[in-house]
C-alpha cells in the first residue's frame, strides 16, 4: 500500500512539473511606435505617435524549440496629421483590445523568432477633431524577436501591420513597432 501511495505522489509531482514546463503565464508591457499607412493627399503631413501596450501573455510549449504564445493586450496606435504650416497638429489615437497568437521558434535557449496573426477590437477613439470613424475590428500580422534574460524575465521587439482598414471613411491601416518587457510566473 505504501508503495502505491509513494508511486502516486511521485506521479503527481512529475505531472505537475511537466505541466508547469508546458504552460507559463505572465504579464508584459511596453512602448508602441505607431503610424498609419494609406493614400494621403500631398498637402497632409503625417507623423507617427508614441504610445503603450500592456497585458497578459501565455506560452504553451509544444516542442523543444517551438511554442505558441497567445496574448491579451490593451494597445494604443494612431498618427498625427498636419494639413499646412499654420494649422495645429491633429492627433488620432485608437485604443484596441488585441489578441495576437504568435508561433515562437527558439534559435537557442535565449533567442526566439516569432510570427503570427492578430485580431483587434476598437474600444476607444481619441481625436483632436469631432470625427468617430474607426472600424470596430482590425486584423493584422506580427513578426519579431524575443530574448529570455532569465527563466522569468524577457524582452520582445515586434512589428505589426494591419491588413484591414482602420477607418470607415479613408484608406488607412495601422502599423506599429513594439518593444516589450515581461515576466513569466
Amino acid at each position: 500500500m505504501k508503495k502505491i501511495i509513494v508511486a502516486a505522489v511521485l506521479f503527481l509531482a512529475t505531472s505537475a512539473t511537466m505541466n508547469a514546463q508546458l504552460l507559463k503565464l505572465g504579464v508584459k508591457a511596453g512602448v508602441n511606435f505607431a503610424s498609419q499607412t494609406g493614400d494621403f493627399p500631398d498637402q497632409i503631413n503625417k507623423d507617427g505617435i508614441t504610445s503603450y501596450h500592456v497585458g497578459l501573455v501565455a506560452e504553451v510549449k509544444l516542442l523543444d524549440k517551438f511554442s505558441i504564445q497567445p496574448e491579451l493586450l490593451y494597445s494604443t496606435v494612431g498618427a498625427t496629421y498636419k494639413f499646412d504650416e499654420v494649422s495645429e497638429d491633429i492627433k488620432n489615437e485608437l485604443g484596441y483590445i488585441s489578441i495576437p497568437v504568435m508561433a515562437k521558434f527558439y534559435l537557442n535557449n535565449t533567442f526566439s523568432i516569432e510570427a503570427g496573426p492578430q485580431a483587434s477590437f476598437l474600444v476607444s477613439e481619441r481625436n483632436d477633431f469631432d470625427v468617430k470613424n474607426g472600424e470596430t475590428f482590425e486584423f493584422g500580422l506580427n513578426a519579431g524577436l524575443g530574448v529570455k534574460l532569465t527563466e522569468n524575465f524577457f524582452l520582445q521587439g515586434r512589428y505589426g501591420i494591419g491588413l484591414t482598414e482602420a477607418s470607415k471613411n479613408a484608406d488607412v491601416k495601422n502599423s506599429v513597432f513594439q518593444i516589450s518587457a515581461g515576466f513569466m510566473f
Side-chain angles (χ1 to χ4, degrees), residues 104 109-112 114 145-150 153-157:
K104 197 169 181 180
N109 290 337
T110 304
F111 296 99
S112 63
E114 52 190 56
L145 300 171
V147 178
K148 284 175 67 173
L149 301 175
T150 68
F153 289 101
F154 65 89
L155 297 176
Q156 291 176 324

Side-chain angles (χ1 to χ4, degrees), residues 48-92:
I49 63 170
T50 302
S51 57
Y52 66 94
H53 62 277
V54 62
L56 304 173
V57 60
E59 185 172 343
V60 181
K61 187 174 183 178
L62 299 178
L63 299 171
D64 187 42
K65 301 279 185 185
F66 178 73
S67 297
I68 298 293
Q69 182 173 303
E71 301 174 3
L72 180 63
L73 305 174
Y74 177 77
S75 182
T76 57
V77 296
T80 302
Y81 300 93
K82 189 168 193 163
F83 294 95
D84 56 40
E85 295 301 319
V86 294
S87 66
E88 292 185 33
D89 290 351
I90 297 172
K91 186 176 183 180
N92 183 25

Side-chain angles (χ1 to χ4, degrees), residues 9-23:
V9 168
L10 288 174
F11 176 75
L12 291 174
T14 303
S15 296
T17 302
M18 283 178 44
N19 286 337
Q21 291 173 354
L22 296 178
L23 173 67

